[in-house]
């Protein structure tokens, strides 16, 4: 009897601290910066900036230009790395959106997550059948933030780098690359 009470108490404690649906722990994601590494002949993002929105939230603002139509000639993907201490020593993390032909990426990943950012930008809505080619043009973003409710509670705290790469499929050459840096923290509510 005593061991079953101890087991139930252990389960209750585990649920208390680990169940994100219990609303006891909140993930907070705060933008740090965006770096455009190469690809200025494809993207012009000089006018994108991260700014402090309020005491607890940073947002992305500005205008960027896509200078060419993007087709399945290219593949696109995202990878993640984490720095536990924030000392710029990032370790690759086994979480990513694998590279795939651009139109396929837009039809799947972009389509699945577009509800998170379409309120902040004039990026095109992608219907179920996809959007190919992705049209060149000038796109703006206003007070965009990361909805932390989509981040699994098991993702560890720390400083994170998300690397985006656009490659030519035929040659594998990286023609555009950028990195977004965020700080992920958790707090009990």
């Amino acid at each position: 009897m005593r061991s079953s009470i101890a087991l139930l108490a252990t389960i209750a404690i585990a649920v208390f601290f680990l169940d994100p649906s219990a609303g006891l722990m909140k993930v907070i994601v705060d933008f740090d910066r965006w770096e455009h590494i190469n690809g200025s002949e494809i993207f012009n993002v000089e006018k994108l900036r991260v700014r402090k929105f309020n005491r607890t939230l940073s947002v992305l603002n500005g205008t960027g230009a896509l200078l060419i139509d993007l087709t399945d000639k290219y593949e696109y993907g995202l990878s993640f790395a984490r720095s536990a201490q924030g000392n710029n020593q990032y370790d690759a993390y086994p979480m990513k959106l694998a590279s795939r032909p651009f139109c396929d990426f837009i039809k799947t990943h972009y389509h699945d997550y577009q509800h998170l950012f379409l309120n902040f930008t004039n990026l095109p809505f992608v219907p179920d059948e996809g959007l190919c080619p992705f049209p060149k043009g000038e796109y703006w973003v206003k007070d965009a933030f990361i909805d932390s409710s989509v981040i699994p509670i098991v993702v560890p705290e720390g400083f994170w780098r998300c690397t985006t790469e656009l490659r030519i499929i035929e040659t594998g050459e990286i023609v555009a690359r950028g990195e977004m840096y965020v700080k992920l923290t958790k707090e009990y509510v």
Side-chain angles (χ1 to χ4, degrees), residues 19 27 54 59 81 88 103 132 154 158:
D19 182 13
V27 175
N54 61 28
V59 295
N88 274 342
C103 293
C132 195
V154 297

Side-chain angles (χ1 to χ4, degrees), residues 6 8 39 95 133 162 164 177:
L8 287 175
M95 175 175 69
C162 172
T164 64
R177 184 178 182 171

Side-chain angles (χ1 to χ4, degrees), residues 16-134:
F16 178 81
F17 285 110
L18 298 176
D19 182 13
S21 64
L24 301 172
M25 184 178 285
K26 181 168 83 170
V27 175
I28 301 165
V29 181
D30 195 29
F31 275 118
D32 182 36
R33 68 188 184 277
W34 170 262
E35 292 180 1
H36 183 71
I37 297 168
N38 71 334
S40 56
E41 61 282 348
I42 296 174
F43 298 104
N44 179 352
V45 292
E46 293 174 2
K47 297 179 184 174
L48 284 178
R49 298 286 181 264
V50 172
R51 72 174 181 89
K52 204 69 171 158
F53 183 74
N54 61 28
R55 186 174 62 84
T56 60
L57 182 67
S58 295
V59 295
L60 185 65
N61 279 302
T63 303
L66 176 59
L67 304 173
I68 62 171
D69 289 334
L70 291 175
T71 64
D72 275 343
K73 172 184 175 185
Y74 302 96
E75 68 179 8
Y76 187 73
L78 289 88
S79 60
F80 298 90
R82 177 178 170 256
S83 173
Q85 280 109 27
N87 57 2
N88 274 342
Q89 294 184 9
Y90 287 89
D91 296 317
Y93 200 75
M95 175 175 69
K96 66 181 178 177
L97 295 177
S99 291
R100 50 177 36 172
F102 194 83
C103 293
D104 191 32
F105 187 93
I106 293 298
K107 186 177 180 179
T108 57
H109 299 310
Y110 179 101
H111 178 266
D112 291 345
Y113 294 104
Q114 67 185 341
H115 68 280
L116 297 173
F117 55 80
L118 284 180
N119 293 332
F120 308 121
T121 182
N122 68 334
L123 286 168
F125 174 80
V126 174
D128 291 339
E129 60 273 5
L131 175 67
C132 195
F134 195 86

